[in-house]
Amino acid sequence: MGKFNDKISAEYHPPRKWVLERALSYTNPDLEVDALKEIGVQVTSTGKITCKKEFVTDLASVPRICWMLIAPWDIARAAIIHDLLYKRIRQYRAKQGNLSKNREVVNNYKTAKKEADRVFLAAMKDADPSVPKWKIYSAYYSVVLFGRWSIIPREED
């Protein structure tokens, strides 16, 4: 079972960004994160993943029309950790450049995406206060299905 170090402390920067005012970390020694480590995610030996102070996030990328069901703040801490993991995947892909079609590179980032999504799932399950299961699995399957577009390299990364 994992845990977060604290609640979120972030400042809103319109229209969709939040900047962490202090570090947010999630620790779960039971997760498999070898592929994430391989692409450059810093994970301690105890399974701790940290978003540093001033990390920029959009919380959860939930379309506004769906906020009646799942609002970004329902799963925000897990989403911030997930944002960091996807950012590292994008950076890895950008760094590979022309090799991005290489089978090994593709396997690395696809495996890292699966691990990032499993971290997201575990972090939502470990949230306190607890998140209803239907919200957890709705958010999880959304990133599994639609997250492939979020790991395409961007200029701001």
Side-chain angles (χ1 to χ4, degrees):
M1 185 158 172
K3 66 177 188 167
F4 291 94
N5 67 322
D6 208 342
K7 295 185 187 297
I8 300 167
S9 178
E11 183 177 317
Y12 181 59
H13 290 251
R16 293 187 181 116
K17 300 295 179 195
W18 295 82
V19 179
L20 294 183
E21 294 177 335
R22 66 172 176 246
L24 176 71
S25 64
Y26 173 68
T27 305
N28 188 330
D30 301 327
L31 291 173
E32 287 196 31
V33 291
D34 293 336
L36 289 169
K37 289 179 184 177
E38 210 169 292
I39 64 154
V41 175
Q42 293 181 346
V43 183
T44 67
S45 59
T46 59
K48 182 178 181 181
I49 301 168
T50 302
C51 292
K52 295 181 179 178
K53 179 181 176 180
E54 297 184 7
F55 179 75
V56 178
T57 179
D58 66 352
L59 297 180
S61 303
V62 178
R64 182 105 184 180
I65 196 165
C66 298
W67 282 18
M68 288 184 348
L69 299 173
I70 302 175
W73 45 87
D74 290 340
I75 55 173
R77 287 188 292 176
I80 292 169
I81 298 297
H82 192 249
D83 281 356
L84 172 69
L85 301 179
Y86 269 25
K87 180 177 182 177
R88 295 293 179 255
I89 294 169
R90 289 191 305 272
Q91 290 171 332
Y92 170 78
R93 290 182 70 183
K95 187 176 175 182
Q96 299 308 313
N98 292 337
L99 295 175
S100 62
K101 298 207 188 291
N102 175 295
R103 181 172 284 151
E104 183 180 347
V105 171
V106 171
N107 286 339
N108 285 348
Y109 77 73
K110 284 185 175 183
T111 304
K113 182 197 175 302
K114 288 177 186 174
E115 287 182 6
D117 294 347
R118 285 195 297 268
V119 169
F120 180 53
L121 176 63
M124 286 187 293
K125 288 179 177 180
D126 292 333
D128 183 26
S130 63
V131 178
K133 282 187 179 184
W134 68 268
K135 285 186 181 186
I136 290 172
Y137 286 99
S138 296
Y140 171 71
Y141 287 114
S142 292
V143 299
V144 167
L145 290 173
F146 302 111
R148 66 177 151 240
W149 291 286
S150 296
I151 60 170
I152 296 170
R154 304 175 187 165
E155 281 191 32
E156 67 262 19
D157 291 332

